[in-house]
Amino acid sequence: RTKANNWQVINVPLTLFNDDTRGNVSKKWNKYESWLFTLAGLPFKATQQQGNIHFICTSKRASAIE
């Protein structure tokens, strides 16, 4: 509590998702990696709702391994 200036710290389990655009047939579009997360404690049906999927970032350079 001394380090946190009396702020309460809460750990929340997350489920991370990575999606890429490698399936594009056209060379017009470059490959991008997109990262999203949902709360791991939600029921499966709730995790599929758009309002419960949160965007983290999109990168042209970082891959899922990085």
Side-chain angles (χ1 to χ4, degrees), residues 8 11 26-28 30 41 49 52 65:
Q8 186 177 7
N11 291 327
S26 170
K27 296 286 182 185
K28 181 179 177 182
N30 295 327
Q49 295 174 350
N52 293 327
I65 297 171

Side-chain angles (χ1 to χ4, degrees), residues 41-52:
L42 292 175
F44 180 76
K45 191 171 183 177
T47 61
Q48 302 303 307
Q49 295 174 350
Q50 186 175 3
N52 293 327

Side-chain angles (χ1 to χ4, degrees), residues 32-60:
Y32 287 94
E33 301 275 341
S34 295
W35 287 89
L36 305 113
F37 78 91
T38 61
L39 297 174
L42 292 175
F44 180 76
K45 191 171 183 177
T47 61
Q48 302 303 307
Q49 295 174 350
Q50 186 175 3
N52 293 327
I53 301 171
H54 305 281
F55 175 77
I56 299 173
C57 69
T58 295
S59 175
K60 196 173 183 180

